Amino acid sequence: MSSERPKLGPDIPKVITAWLSASGRVVYLTADRNWSEELSDAEVLTGAGAVDILAWAAKDQTRVSDPYFMQVTLDGKVAGRETIRETIRARGPTNHPMFGKQAGNN
Amino acid sequence: MYRYDEFDDTLVRERAKQFRGQVERRLKGELKEEHFKPLRLQNGVYLQLHAYMLRVAIPYGQLSAKKMRQLALIADKFDKGYAHFTTRQNVQYNWIRLADMPDVLDVLADVEMHAIQTSGNCIRNVTSDHLAGANLDEIEDPRPWCEIIRQWSTFHPEFSSLPRKFKIAVTAGETDRAAVRVHDIGLHMKKNAEGRIGFEFIVGGGLGRTPFVGPTVREWVAKEDLLSYLEANMRIYNRHGRRDNKYKARIKILVSELGLEEYRRQVEEEFAAQNTWEKVVLPQDEVDRITAYFAAPKFAALPAISAAFDAFKAGSREYARWAKNNLRPHRTPGYVSVHVALKQQGEAPGDASSDQMRALADIGETYALDDIRVAHEQDIVYPHVKLDDVPAVYAALKAAGLHASNAGLASDIIACPGLDYCNLSNARSISVANEIQAVFADPEFEDDVGTLHVNVSGCINACGHHHVGHIGILGVDKKGEEFYQVLFGGRADEKATIATIQGPGLRHEEVAPAIRRVIDQYLTLRRDKSEKFIDTLSRVGQAPFKDALYAAA
């Protein structure tokens, strides 16, 4: 049973996020079409063209798995109804502050 | 405990080798994720919120010290030094790299373990009573039958692509500790009118989005017909189970939509129509061979009373409390079963560090006849411990931080990993569980409240079994905010009942205070201290508890 993410219209600022295929680490798509583990490196997308970039990301299957749109503010901070999920995903489990990106050991 | 023969060993190692090739192809880009996903799932590999997660099967929840140490080794070498024991008697690792998975499967194969069929639309790990072979009310040890089903169902070609996952549990006690009525098929070993032991077939139970207590399809099935009757059920499900809608694909929906009588008619027709050549009649010598692996250990002849144990209990309130709450009677004089609650205050329910796992292994080897069980309550159980050894066991558990004295009490909470780890979850479970645990931090208060099962799930998939908690908590997403619905009146035992949702969800910080108000209401309403929460609820109804739940809202 897969998790379904909310649909984001073209006007909503978003980034593309996925998991690295080899490690499963959470990554974000950068403007130069690379994948970074830092959300701050991600390219913030708006407009109808974002769909084409997601389609490109979906084909980048050697490097990543299951890319999807994630809502952010215009300056790239986590936003929207999945803020809690994506904040945890970006940082690490709230009950285990010693694990994940928040601890620098993901 | 069952030991692998050459066929088992070859099968598991060949599967690990096959998966190594699949992983290599995935990492080279020769396999796309959409094609790789069903392959990894068949080997227990999920992609979770932060990383890949590996679910390892613990058949009917039984481990040896050697296996437990190997699980600890995996935690240290490939993960972050801990593991999570689940409500289906499995163990999960949260941080393993895909590239390392084949090596992990090899390490598991070295101790006769694997992750086969711990995911995917197949027959999953068969679960059982964690006190099997030790408890007082058992008519027969169910584990050989679990093992027979495990062997039959592993790579069964007809049932490897079912409409949805399929869970089987077997119990043989009057008290159901395996939650058989909320499984796809629950088998309850019982005697028929002639005194022969067979199986009651309970089909179509389950939790999740549409919870059901399973109805009895047949009161008694002979042992020799076990696999044939299972096949008849599986065939009806495989033939008619819905594949167009994953939310309606479990057998519980089929049984419900067909109606019990029609479902039963079809199963009986299928069972009767099985040809001689396809009927799986269990050969007695094979049953005997497998049963021999589960022969009772050689218990020492001991008096029923132990001076050492009595002195231990008298030694302090701490010892007495632990003994009262965490020990279970054993059928053999001088022995007891020890319940190790993986529920220390503030820890994730079901988690154990690698050091704790090694301590559990050492204790199991030294004091518990090398028999270690995982309970579906996410706890560890030693079924066979001498009363004389209980003081030493407690000391060793305490040294490892595993001495929570709350087995079966309010802070012995079942909780799924929730939104802190799970890709499907809507809300956090662990933090809510920890906050509820804190309500019961005072041992005297928790003892006064007595038996209380609190189950927490982070989403409707119900891995935290919230439907069958005396108090269930269900995390939901409401416009991006975590809310928690509260349910009352569930139970997973032989009186299995689906709990009732009380009303609007509470905010995260409101849950623990609300539970405290509900408990205060119980303390006011109970007849006396012997009346459990669930019984008071049943006697007076849910309304006063609901009033208390929302009193401050």
Side-chain angles (χ1 to χ4, degrees):
Chain A
M1 194 174 296
S2 63
S3 179
E4 291 173 7
R5 308 272 65 85
K7 290 184 171 57
L8 302 178
D11 296 335
I12 296 176
K14 55 185 80 71
V15 300
I16 294 172
T17 183
W19 292 263
L20 286 180
S21 298
S23 65
R25 290 183 186 186
V26 173
V27 288
Y28 306 93
L29 186 64
T30 63
D32 62 356
R33 301 296 173 262
N34 277 311
W35 296 94
S36 170
E37 295 188 25
E38 300 299 325
L39 175 57
S40 57
D41 293 339
E43 180 185 19
V44 178
L45 305 168
T46 52
V51 175
D52 296 331
I53 301 173
L54 181 61
W56 175 87
K59 291 178 183 170
D60 193 18
Q61 292 211 13
T62 303
R63 289 196 292 179
V64 298
S65 297
D66 294 347
Y68 64 90
F69 285 142
M70 166 187 142
Q71 188 174 348
V72 293
T73 59
L74 278 170
D75 61 349
K77 303 286 193 303
V78 178
R81 67 173 297 165
E82 299 225 297
T83 295
I84 298 172
R85 168 195 156 88
E86 293 301 345
T87 302
I88 292 171
R89 197 164 161 269
R91 293 179 184 171
T94 61
N95 67 306
H96 283 149
M98 63 291 211
F99 300 142
K101 291 181 180 175
Q102 62 196 343
N105 66 4
N106 187 17
Chain B
M1 186 180 301
Y2 182 75
R3 292 191 293 274
Y4 277 13
D5 60 20
E6 60 183 302
F7 300 107
D8 296 315
D9 187 61
T10 301
L11 182 140
V12 169
R13 291 195 182 278
E14 287 293 317
R15 183 57 175 265
K17 186 177 170 186
Q18 181 190 50
F19 190 55
R20 183 179 294 279
Q22 292 162 348
V23 168
E24 286 173 2
R25 290 171 63 201
R26 172 72 186 109
L27 295 177
K28 286 179 187 169
E30 295 171 7
L31 272 178
K32 293 180 177 177
E33 170 64 8
E34 64 186 284
H35 300 131
F36 178 67
K37 186 175 179 180
L39 301 175
R40 66 169 165 79
L41 288 177
Q42 285 171 27
N43 291 283
V45 180
Y46 289 74
L47 185 53
Q48 289 287 32
L49 212 56
H50 310 289
Y52 289 100
M53 182 270 277
L54 177 67
R55 179 180 295 151
V56 177
I58 302 175
Y60 25 95
Q62 186 168 13
L63 290 167
S64 62
K66 184 179 177 184
K67 290 178 179 178
M68 183 68 98
R69 288 196 187 100
Q70 199 82 331
L71 295 178
L73 181 147
I74 291 168
D76 279 340
K77 189 172 179 182
F78 300 101
D79 204 272
K80 293 187 184 297
Y82 73 106
H84 175 75
F85 291 94
T86 79
T87 51
R88 292 211 77 253
Q89 300 180 307
N90 292 315
V91 65
Q92 294 178 176
Y93 298 94
N94 290 305
W95 302 92
I96 299 180
R97 289 161 44 88
L98 180 61
D100 289 335
M101 290 292 178
D103 291 342
V104 175
L105 296 188
D106 282 344
V107 170
L108 287 169
D110 288 344
V111 292
E112 303 179 344
M113 294 186 78
H114 60 73
I116 296 165
Q117 292 184 198
T118 59
S119 179
N121 294 336
C122 54
I123 298 173
R124 303 286 189 89
N125 186 35
V126 180
T127 56
S128 191
D129 184 346
H130 51 265
L131 294 179
N135 70 76
L136 295 166
D137 65 358
E138 177 175 280
I139 59 169
E140 184 174 314
D141 192 333
R143 290 172 299 162
W145 302 101
C146 294
E147 175 57 26
I148 287 166
I149 295 168
R150 187 193 70 80
Q151 293 190 21
W152 162 79
S153 63
T154 300
F155 299 144
H156 194 305
E158 191 176 339
F159 307 129
S160 60
S161 187
L162 295 166
R164 279 288 283 146
K165 58 187 170 183
F166 205 92
K167 299 174 182 178
I168 299 173
V170 189
T171 196
E174 284 177 30
T175 302
D176 175 13
R177 283 170 289 266
V180 295
R181 289 206 169 269
V182 287
H183 276 74
D184 293 294
I185 290 183
L187 302 174
H188 201 158
M189 298 192 79
K190 288 183 173 174
K191 289 180 181 173
N192 67 0
E194 288 79 46
R196 287 180 65 204
I197 296 173
F199 300 90
E200 179 188 1
F201 262 70
I202 301 152
V203 183
L207 302 176
R209 191 171 296 263
T210 316
F212 282 102
V213 171
T216 298
V217 168
R218 216 212 243 198
E219 290 288 348
W220 191 85
V221 173
K223 288 176 178 176
E224 57 269 28
D225 290 330
L226 170 65
L227 296 185
S228 285
Y229 203 75
L230 270 173
E231 285 207 348
N233 277 274
M234 299 303 299
R235 281 187 179 157
I236 297 304
Y237 173 53
N238 214 9
R239 196 177 299 154
H240 300 302
R242 291 181 61 169
R243 295 173 193 268
D244 61 324
N245 183 339
K246 64 185 175 186
Y247 300 121
K248 296 188 176 181
R250 298 288 290 267
I251 195 172
K252 60 190 175 186
I253 304 297
L254 178 67
V255 174
S256 173
E257 290 187 349
L258 282 179
L260 177 60
E261 291 308 314
E262 174 59 16
Y263 175 81
R264 180 186 287 138
R265 186 195 68 74
Q266 292 195 23
V267 168
E268 292 294 341
E269 187 176 86
E270 175 68 30
F271 181 59
Q274 285 174 346
N275 296 316
T276 308
W277 60 267
E278 67 174 350
K279 207 174 183 71
V280 187
V281 178
L282 279 165
Q284 190 55 47
D285 58 345
E286 186 63 8
V287 174
D288 292 343
R289 186 184 71 82
I290 292 173
T291 302
Y293 286 119
F294 298 92
K298 289 182 180 172
F299 295 113
L302 296 169
I305 295 172
S306 159
F309 175 62
D310 288 345
F312 166 76
K313 281 194 298 182
S316 79
R317 293 174 72 181
E318 172 193 324
Y319 299 163
R321 179 177 193 243
W322 180 81
K324 175 174 173 283
N325 292 331
N326 289 48
L327 301 184
R328 303 288 180 267
H330 195 283
R331 66 175 67 155
T332 308
Y335 282 82
V336 71
S337 298
V338 175
H339 199 116
V340 183
L342 298 179
K343 309 292 169 56
Q344 293 283 0
Q345 287 273 339
E347 298 292 335
D351 275 14
S353 70
S354 56
D355 286 342
Q356 288 176 325
M357 292 160 76
R358 278 184 284 271
L360 287 165
D362 292 346
I363 295 166
E365 200 167 53
T366 308
Y367 301 111
L369 300 172
D370 201 19
D371 194 339
I372 307 166
R373 310 281 176 84
V374 181
H376 86 267
E377 294 90 349
Q378 301 173 291
D379 293 331
I380 299 294
V381 169
Y382 297 114
H384 317 297
V385 175
K386 288 179 187 170
L387 277 171
D388 290 342
D389 289 335
V390 165
V393 168
Y394 180 77
L397 289 172
K398 187 171 182 181
L402 292 165
H403 59 300
S405 305
N406 54 0
L409 302 184
S411 63
D412 186 9
I413 295 174
I414 292 175
C416 70
L419 189 54
D420 281 303
Y421 282 97
C422 179
N423 201 26
L424 303 178
S425 192
N426 292 321
R428 287 171 293 165
S429 307
I430 297 167
S431 54
V432 167
N434 289 157
E435 287 170 18
I436 295 171
Q437 281 183 318
V439 170
F440 301 95
D442 175 1
E444 288 188 19
F445 176 64
E446 183 167 39
D447 282 350
D448 187 29
V449 172
T451 302
L452 177 62
H453 298 165
V454 181
N455 297 358
V456 185
S457 299
C459 77
I460 196 67
N461 292 312
C463 295
H465 295 185
H466 63 274
H467 295 297
V468 288
H470 298 168
I471 296 177
I473 315 283
L474 167 63
V476 296
D477 168 79
K478 200 169 166 185
K479 295 180 179 175
E481 196 174 344
E482 295 168 304
F483 277 81
Y484 296 86
Q485 293 180 336
V486 179
L487 301 85
F488 292 151
R491 53 197 300 170
D493 58 11
E494 64 283 0
K495 297 176 182 172
T497 306
I498 301 299
T500 306
I501 294 175
Q502 295 303 301
L506 303 173
R507 292 179 192 278
H508 193 290
E509 66 276 13
E510 293 173 338
V511 176
I515 298 304
R516 175 63 201 237
R517 292 194 298 275
V518 169
I519 296 308
D520 287 342
Q521 183 74 299
Y522 155 65
L523 296 174
T524 304
L525 293 172
R526 69 182 179 186
R527 277 194 176 122
D528 56 46
K529 205 172 171 179
S530 69
E531 188 177 58
K532 298 174 184 172
F533 173 88
I534 190 69
D535 296 326
T536 304
L537 189 78
S538 175
R539 178 172 59 80
V540 306
Q542 299 188 355
F545 294 94
K546 182 176 180 178
D547 290 344
L549 183 72
Y550 292 110

